[in-house]
Amino acid sequence: GENVEQHPSTLSVQEGDSAVIKCTYSDSASNYFPWYKQELGKGPQLIIDIRSNVGEKKDQRIAVTLNKTAKHFSLHITETQPEDSAVYFCAAWSAAGNKLTFGGGTRVLVKP
Amino acid sequence: DTGVSQDPRHKITKRGQNVTFRCDPISEHNRLYWYRQTLGQGPEFLTYFQNEAQLEKSRLLSDRFSAERPKGSFSTLEIQRTEQGDSAMYLCASSLGGGSEQYFGPGTRLTVT
């Protein structure tokens, strides 16, 4: 089955700096890669996603890149703000498995 | 608000008791998923429904767990004879078809004492 690895597990950045989170996946048939933000006591919130026919996608301060050959994808947050502090999860969708497999999460702390 | 809702938000129960959780998906979504999330981990897939049909179950879903979606709308997840290891956040998500955006509810936090 699909395996998704996420790094780093924690990330501390100064407000205004950039944050980068990286994920790798194992199933070459995976074709959809969402990113979720989870705040304490809440459910995961979809913040951006990318499909396998696209190499990069951007939405304001957030961007995601995908390298299908290397089977890795990354989340980039620019000009970080304290409200960006949360746990971020990457995930991969495998049509064969009909499910999302999540990475272990990255706890991001933005220091003012 | 027309997002995914879950009830209850918190449940404390004694070991051996049965518990039932409810999920109301986004109304036009035909797929409904259940996940379990333990502290410090990502959500783990448990099962999913396409309309009222339960199409896949994870091996994490022991025979003490049962899920239903009788009319293809809301779903219930029941855990019988709860164990301390069942303590977790139970998340529900819905989507419009497979490989589409999944939107999560706020979760039900279960504590088994």
Side-chain angles (χ1 to χ4, degrees):
Chain A
E2 174 70 281
N3 184 48
V4 177
E5 300 281 342
Q6 183 171 345
H7 299 280
S9 56
T10 59
L11 181 59
S12 182
V13 297
Q14 207 65 38
E15 182 178 357
D17 288 349
S18 295
V20 180
I21 303 170
K22 298 182 178 182
C23 290
T24 60
Y25 61 98
S26 61
D27 186 353
S28 56
S30 290
N31 58 8
Y32 171 64
F33 307 91
W35 286 87
Y36 288 87
K37 174 183 181 183
Q38 188 172 28
E39 296 173 329
L40 198 62
K42 297 184 178 179
Q45 175 194 1
L46 179 67
I47 56 172
I48 195 167
D49 56 14
I50 191 167
R51 297 192 180 273
S52 58
N53 59 345
V54 174
E56 184 173 356
K57 184 177 178 180
K58 190 173 181 181
D59 182 5
Q60 298 183 352
R61 297 187 296 109
I62 294 173
V64 58
T65 59
L66 171 65
N67 183 326
K68 284 193 303 181
T69 304
K71 289 190 282 188
H72 67 71
F73 56 115
S74 301
L75 178 72
H76 305 251
I77 307 173
T78 57
E79 301 171 21
T80 53
Q81 300 168 4
E83 52 265 37
D84 295 330
S85 296
V87 180
Y88 291 81
F89 292 98
C90 64
W93 167 269
S94 168
N98 258 305
K99 63 181 182 181
L100 277 178
T101 301
F102 283 79
T106 297
R107 182 171 298 278
V108 174
L109 175 63
V110 180
K111 294 181 285 187
Chain B
D1 189 309
T2 56
V4 179
S5 61
Q6 292 187 246
D7 185 68
R9 294 292 308 278
H10 304 274
K11 179 71 177 178
I12 300 173
T13 192
K14 293 184 178 180
R15 189 176 54 188
Q17 297 295 305
N18 299 345
V19 293
T20 300
F21 310 140
R22 176 179 170 128
C23 171
D24 286 88
I26 293 171
S27 58
E28 63 267 27
H29 285 184
N30 57 1
R31 284 211 178 188
L32 187 149
Y33 301 83
W34 285 100
Y35 293 84
R36 183 174 70 185
Q37 186 178 28
T38 52
L39 207 59
Q41 303 296 319
E44 295 175 290
F45 170 82
L46 291 178
T47 188
Y48 89 93
F49 293 83
Q50 172 96 13
N51 300 312
E52 66 273 12
Q54 187 175 16
L55 296 184
E56 187 160 341
K57 297 187 215 179
S58 162
R59 64 179 182 273
L60 293 174
L61 211 66
S62 77
D63 56 7
R64 296 183 298 105
F65 288 69
S66 63
E68 294 183 343
R69 194 183 183 197
K71 297 181 180 178
S73 56
F74 73 92
S75 175
T76 57
L77 178 69
E78 181 184 16
I79 309 174
Q80 296 183 326
R81 305 181 303 281
T82 52
E83 302 173 355
Q84 286 188 319
D86 297 332
S87 295
M89 174 80 89
Y90 289 85
L91 293 162
C92 174
S94 70
S95 73
L96 195 60
S100 299
E101 296 84 351
Q102 287 189 26
Y103 296 95
F104 281 81
T108 294
R109 179 163 295 285
L110 173 66
T111 302
V112 182
T113 61

